[in-house]
Amino acid sequence: MSPKTTIDDVYAQTLARNPGEAEFHQAVHEVFGSLDRVLAKHPEYVQASILERVCEPERQIIFRVPWVDDTGRVRINRGFRVQFNSALGPYKGGLRFHPSVLLGTVKFLGFEQVFKNALTGMPIGGGKGGSDFDPKGKSDGEIMRFCQSFMTEAYRHVGEYTDVPAGDIGVGAREIGYLFGQYKRITNRYESGVLTGKGVTWGGSLVRTEATGYGAVFFTQHMLATRGRSFDGARVLVSGSGNVAIYAIEKVHELGGVVVGASDSSGSIHDPDGIDLELLRDVKERRRERIEAYATERGGRARFLPGASVWQIAGDERVDVALPCATQNELDEADAARLVANGLVAVAEGANMPTTPGAVRVFREAGVLFGPGKAANAGGVATSALEMQQNASRDSWTFEHTEERLSEIMAGIHERTAETADEYGAPGDYVVGANIAGFIRVADAMLALGVI
Ligand code: GLU
C-alpha cells in the first residue's frame, strides 16, 4: 500500500469511529497531511500500525460533576480526561472549563498535545481534560465547589507518575489551587507534581504564568531572524486577552514592538498608540470585566469594535505580526487574506489550532512565516515540565534561570522544526517540520515499547 493510501484509509477509519467530532478530525487531518514522506521512509511505522494507534486514545474518562450553586440548587456538568499517549512520559496537558467543551474538543486538544509535548524534547506524554462548566459569572465559592467535585472523581486517574493536568482556557492558578487542595485532602499526600500551574508559594514555578505567551514571542523572534527581521518597531495584533495574550503583549513590548489590538468574546479593541498593558490587566485580570472598559478608560484614539474579530483591524493599518492567542478556528481565510494584503510577515499560534485550514493555506501560499501551535505555544507545557522537575527535586529556581531555560527550549524547538522541514524537503515549512519531528519521537518510542 502506498503511504498516501495508508493515510487515507486510517483517516477514513478515524472519521467513521469518531462521528461528529469535527475539531478532532481537523487536528488529525492536519498532522496526517505532513506524514506521507515519513511513511515512505519508515515502512516499519506502517507495519506496526502507528498511525491507527496514535489516533486512538489510551484511555478516555467521562464523568458526572455535581455541585451546589449559591442559591442551593444542585447543578450537573460533564467532566473529561482523555489520556492520549504515554509513550514518552506521564500524560500531560491542561484542563479547559468552557461551555463549548465536548469530548471531541478534548480529543483534538489531547491529540495536539501528544506531538507538541514530544517536540519539546521533554519526558512527557499527552493528555487533556476539562468540563462544559462555564466559569463566567460564577462566585468564588461556586468555582471552589465545582473544582472540588471535579477532583473527587479525577483524583483516582491522575498522579505524579500517571497523569499531570494543568490549566487551559477557564483554568488558572485559582482553579489549580482548589483542585490541588482537594487532591491533597483525599489522598493525604502533598504530591506537588500531580498538577502544574500551581502558585509559587505552594510548589509552582516562576515563569509558568508567563511561559506560553513569552514562548510564542521567542519562537516568532527566531522565525523573523531567518528573514533578517525583528520585533523592533513591528506592528502586532494579538487576539484574546487571557493569560497567553497578556504575556505575549508584555514580551512584544519589551522587544520594541507595538501591539495595536486585542480582544475577548465580546469584541476587540484597537489602540493605534500601543496597548497600555497595565490597564488591560486591570480590566481583564483584576476586575474580570468586558474589554470595552479598556477603550472607555484609555480614551484618546483607542476604540472598541463590538462583536468584531481583532483581525479586522488589519483593514485600517499595517500589521507585521499576528499572534492568535484566543481559541480554535478564530482566524479564517478572509482574515488571512486581509492580513496578507496589509504586509503581514509572520504568524505564530499562541492558542491551540486558532488558524483554520483555509487560512493556513493563504499564509503558506503568500510565503508568510507560519509557526503552528505545536511549536509556537509549546513554551507553556515545557515550563510545566520544568515545574515537575523542580517538584521532583524539591527545589525552586529563580525567574532568570527559568526564563533562560524556556528561551533555550524555544530555540531548540525552532531548530528541530526547521531542520526537520529541510530534511523532508520542505524548507521554511514549520507545519511540516513540527508535525514530523513530533510524530517521529512518539512513533519511535511506541515501536520500542512493543504492542501496547
Ligand atoms: N494547556 C496548555 C497547552 O495547551 C498547557 C498544558 C500544560 O501545561 O500541561 O499546552
Side-chain angles (χ1 to χ4, degrees):
M1 237 200 294
S2 75
K4 170 128 186 21
T5 316
T6 305
I7 289 170
D8 290 348
D9 277 6
V10 180
Y11 184 62
Q13 206 183 92
T14 307
L15 294 185
R17 247 191 187 159
N18 304 278
E21 297 180 347
E23 292 161 336
F24 179 50
H25 303 162
Q26 185 184 333
V28 172
H29 194 262
E30 196 261 356
V31 171
F32 278 16
S34 306
L35 296 183
D36 49 346
R37 37 203 135 188
V38 179
L39 298 191
K41 224 172 160 173
H42 295 278
E44 69 277 18
Y45 295 160
V46 179
Q47 179 67 19
S49 293
I50 297 290
L51 244 49
E52 287 90 328
R53 274 201 268 168
V54 292
C55 292
E56 187 63 24
E58 289 175 17
R59 192 175 295 110
Q60 308 183 54
I61 302 143
I62 305 179
F63 49 99
R64 181 166 71 195
V65 188
W67 56 282
V68 181
D69 72 17
D70 285 347
T71 70
R73 178 153 176 235
V74 174
R75 307 277 289 262
I76 301 299
N77 284 99
R78 186 174 287 176
F80 302 95
R81 188 70 186 167
V82 173
Q83 300 181 328
F84 226 110
N85 194 302
S86 60
L88 293 172
Y91 309 105
K92 182 82 198 86
L95 297 172
R96 177 176 293 191
F97 292 170
H98 192 271
S100 65
V101 169
L102 296 167
L103 178 61
T105 322
V106 181
K107 278 162 73 178
F108 118 65
L109 290 163
F111 187 78
E112 288 280 298
Q113 199 83 47
V114 171
F115 304 105
K116 181 199 309 194
N117 294 5
L119 199 54
T120 65
M122 303 174 97
I124 41 179
K128 204 87 188 191
S131 174
D132 57 1
F133 174 74
D134 186 359
K136 211 178 284 167
K138 300 289 189 297
S139 72
D140 208 58
E142 290 175 322
I143 301 272
M144 182 178 74
R145 291 193 294 279
F146 174 80
C147 289
Q148 290 177 336
S149 181
F150 187 95
M151 187 51 93
T152 301
E153 172 63 30
Y155 88 95
R156 65 191 87 240
H157 307 291
V158 300
E160 185 179 353
Y161 295 102
T162 312
D163 183 356
V164 183
D168 195 84
I169 294 171
V171 178
R174 172 179 61 167
E175 291 73 20
I176 294 294
Y178 296 145
L179 291 163
F180 182 64
Q182 186 72 351
Y183 182 83
K184 187 178 82 58
R185 188 176 188 202
I186 296 174
T187 60
N188 193 30
R189 285 162 64 86
Y190 205 105
E191 188 188 329
S192 306
V194 66
L195 288 164
T196 60
K198 299 180 292 297
V200 282
T201 56
W202 40 279
S205 172
L206 287 166
V207 191
R208 176 62 191 89
T209 314
E210 294 84 354
T212 313
Y214 279 17
V217 173
F218 291 153
F219 191 85
T220 312
Q221 257 188 311
H222 291 294
M223 292 201 298
L224 289 171
T226 65
R227 304 237 172 121
R229 305 272 304 240
S230 75
F231 270 107
D232 200 17
R235 309 283 290 176
V236 181
L237 284 178
V238 173
S239 62
S241 49
N243 172 262
V244 181
I246 295 277
Y247 291 101
I249 297 171
E250 183 171 278
K251 193 48 87 179
V252 168
H253 284 175
E254 237 177 85
L255 296 172
V258 185
V259 178
V260 295
S263 60
D264 70 9
S265 58
S266 70
S268 299
I269 48 165
H270 181 196
D271 190 346
D273 300 317
I275 293 211
D276 175 341
L277 189 57
E278 269 323 296
L279 177 58
L280 185 63
R281 292 186 64 165
D282 191 46
V283 170
K284 296 303 304 180
E285 285 186 336
R286 286 181 276 279
R287 286 151 47 190
R288 296 181 193 262
E289 284 178 25
R290 309 314 297 163
I291 206 162
E292 182 173 10
Y294 172 92
T296 317
E297 290 166 41
R298 171 84 159 148
R301 296 200 289 160
R303 60 195 178 113
F304 174 61
L305 310 160
S309 99
V310 82
W311 316 119
Q312 293 186 15
I313 294 170
D316 299 337
E317 65 164 293
R318 187 191 96 216
V319 176
D320 302 299
V321 177
L323 301 174
C325 297
T327 194
Q328 64 267 23
N329 293 324
E330 51 146 316
L331 193 166
D332 66 18
E333 214 168 315
D335 297 324
R338 196 177 316 109
L339 285 160
V340 166
N342 282 273
L344 190 77
V345 180
V347 185
E349 295 186 320
N352 290 311
M353 211 169 74
T355 317
T356 65
V360 177
R361 206 175 319 115
V362 171
F363 289 141
R364 285 162 109 184
E365 280 167 13
V368 168
L369 294 162
F370 180 77
K374 279 182 211 81
N377 73 41
V381 74
T383 307
S384 277
L386 299 180
E387 183 172 332
M388 291 162 73
Q389 279 184 34
Q390 292 169 77
N391 293 151
S393 58
R394 302 187 183 279
D395 196 1
S396 43
W397 305 342
T398 63
F399 192 95
E400 292 69 27
H401 174 68
T402 318
E403 189 180 7
E404 185 54 36
R405 290 288 308 268
L406 169 64
S407 153
E408 285 163 14
I409 290 166
M410 295 315 294
I413 293 174
H414 180 267
E415 198 179 298
R416 214 165 297 140
T417 308
E419 279 176 10
T420 307
D422 283 349
E423 188 188 330
Y424 282 84
D429 191 330
Y430 293 96
V431 171
V432 167
N435 285 337
I436 296 183
F439 176 81
I440 288 184
R441 191 156 181 261
V442 177
D444 286 345
M446 290 173 75
L447 277 183
L449 299 183
V451 180
I452 55 170

